[in-house]
């Protein structure tokens, strides 16, 4: 298994994105609002991202979709926008295997309305050899999706940073439910439905000097105001482990400690969008 990876500069935000079918615009995938999603008109869609200048792509992630456990994903990268043959291509892999999310209580299939309540599946494709390209295709197929369409709230694509040594054991995943309960005059306990978001915390117990320099560069660049994509189990074909330990969100302030000469330690905590 690869070490954890961070995509901190999202090239998809500056790409021209087209889709093979659209009910809602693809520009909805280029902001940080989970409730603002692209919607296709069918249960299969291909997103094409193009750039005028070459960008480095090592990973492509969809941090909030309505894809079911039967969906598949494939990513193809092209050196030039007009190329027909990809310079790199992933196999067709499960997009988010596991149990499907249940239907929400307004009796409608899972859709973009569910994003605001945290009801979203995640998917990612990783390339061990990062590629310089001007076009990226993301092919999604989810023919059994009862919604009849595909919702995708965000595309993250770019180069990743991977430390020399992996994080230490003991990563913590927290699901926070903001729902509130009150009791009425009749004694009934009523719930005001809120949204659910995830958070992830972990430790770099061994950072070499080169890793510390690169991590400091990332921390200065993103601060606590910009979202980053973190996967603690990349390349696991979107297993339950990878989905659980992947997060798109903003980090909290934290420092880098010197353990020994040339060896450093850092704890990172992120709140999911």
């Amino acid at each position: 298994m690869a070490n954890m990876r961070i995509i901190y500069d999202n090239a998809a935000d500056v790409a021209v994105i087209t889709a093979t079918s659209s009910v809602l615009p693809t520009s909805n995938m280029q902001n940080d609002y989970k409730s603002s999603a692209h919607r296709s008109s069918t249960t299969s869609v291909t997103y094409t991202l193009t750039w005028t200048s070459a960008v480095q792509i090592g990973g492509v992630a969809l941090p909030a979709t309505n894809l079911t456990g039967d969906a598949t994903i494939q990513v193809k990268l092209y050196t030039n926008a007009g190329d027909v043959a990809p310079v790199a291509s992933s196999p067709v892999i499960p997009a988010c295997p596991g149990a499907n999310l249940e239907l929400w209580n307004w009796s409608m299939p899972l859709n973009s309305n569910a994003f605001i309540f945290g009801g979203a599946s995640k998917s990612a494709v990783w390339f061990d050899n990062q590629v310089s390209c001007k076009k990226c295709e993301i092919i999604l197929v989810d023919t059994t999706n009862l919604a009849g369409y595909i919702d995708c709230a965000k595309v993250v694509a770019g180069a990743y940073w991977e430390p020399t040594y992996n994080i230490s054991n003991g990563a913590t995943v927290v699901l926070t439910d903001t729902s509130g309960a009150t009791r009425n005059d009749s004694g009934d306990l009523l719930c005001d439905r809120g949204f659910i978001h995830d958070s992830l915390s972990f430790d770099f117990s061994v950072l070499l000097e080169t890793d510390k320099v690169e991590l400091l560069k990332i921390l200065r660049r993103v601060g606590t105001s910009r979202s980053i994509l973190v996967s603690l189990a990349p390349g696991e074909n979107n297993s339950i482990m990878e989905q659980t330990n992947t997060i798109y969100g903003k980090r909290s302030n934290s420092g880098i400690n010197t353990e020994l000469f040339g060896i450093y330690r850092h704890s990172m905590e992120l709140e999911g969008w």
Side-chain angles (χ1 to χ4, degrees):
M1 185 179 75
N3 292 343
M4 67 86 63
R5 290 171 177 173
I6 299 176
I7 299 177
Y8 58 90
D9 188 10
N10 186 11
D13 283 345
V14 296
V16 175
I17 304 180
T18 60
T20 50
S21 68
S22 294
V23 174
L24 297 174
T26 57
S27 59
N28 286 354
M29 299 186 293
Q30 293 177 295
N31 58 50
D32 270 357
Y33 300 107
K34 190 188 293 187
S35 57
S36 172
H38 170 267
R39 176 173 293 174
S40 66
S41 59
T42 66
T43 55
S44 297
V45 66
T46 297
Y47 298 122
T48 301
L49 288 67
T50 56
W51 298 270
T52 55
S53 300
V55 297
Q56 289 289 119
I57 300 295
V60 175
L62 310 177
T65 74
N66 74 331
L67 295 173
T68 71
D70 296 323
T72 62
I73 184 172
Q74 184 181 26
V75 173
K76 298 180 179 181
L77 304 177
Y78 300 82
T79 302
N80 296 298
D83 290 352
V84 176
V87 66
S89 176
S90 75
V92 177
I93 62 173
C96 45
N100 291 333
L101 294 171
E102 296 177 358
L103 302 184
W104 294 93
N105 56 11
W106 50 71
S107 302
M108 290 294 291
L110 183 65
N111 57 58
S112 62
N113 295 323
F115 293 153
I116 196 169
F117 292 106
S121 50
K122 305 173 184 178
S123 188
V125 171
W126 299 94
F127 295 89
D128 289 334
N129 296 317
Q130 307 198 59
V131 178
S132 177
C133 62
K134 292 185 178 180
K135 183 171 76 171
C136 170
E137 288 183 343
I138 306 167
I139 304 165
L140 302 175
V141 179
D142 194 12
T143 53
T144 62
N145 195 320
L146 295 177
Y149 47 77
I150 292 176
D151 278 340
C152 180
K154 187 72 179 179
V155 176
V156 178
Y160 60 78
W161 172 69
E162 180 178 357
T164 304
Y165 296 103
N166 208 1
I167 62 168
S168 56
N169 292 330
T172 301
V173 178
V174 177
L175 293 178
T176 300
D177 191 339
T178 61
S179 300
T182 57
R183 197 171 295 277
N184 64 12
D185 293 340
S186 301
D188 299 317
L189 187 63
L190 307 179
C191 181
D192 181 15
R193 180 65 180 274
F195 55 86
I196 299 173
H197 67 271
D198 54 352
S199 61
L200 183 63
S201 58
F202 51 90
D203 291 324
F204 297 96
S205 57
V206 178
L207 284 169
L208 302 183
E209 182 69 33
T210 54
D211 293 324
K212 183 206 73 170
V213 170
E214 189 63 27
L215 183 58
L216 276 173
K217 186 190 306 181
I218 294 172
L219 300 186
R220 289 192 180 101
R221 185 183 184 109
V222 304
T224 59
S225 62
R226 295 180 59 182
S227 295
I228 59 176
L229 190 286
V230 173
S231 176
L232 302 188
E236 293 298 299
N237 284 348
N238 296 311
S239 64
I240 296 296
M241 179 182 179
E242 182 171 5
Q243 292 181 64
T244 302
N245 290 281
T246 297
I247 190 169
Y248 179 72
K250 295 177 172 61
R251 54 174 292 273
S252 302
N253 285 316
S254 53
I256 296 179
N257 302 322
T258 302
E259 297 295 298
L260 297 170
F261 179 76
I263 298 178
Y264 306 88
R265 184 186 186 97
H266 176 68
S267 296
M268 185 176 289
E269 181 175 347
L270 298 107
E271 181 172 342
W273 71 329

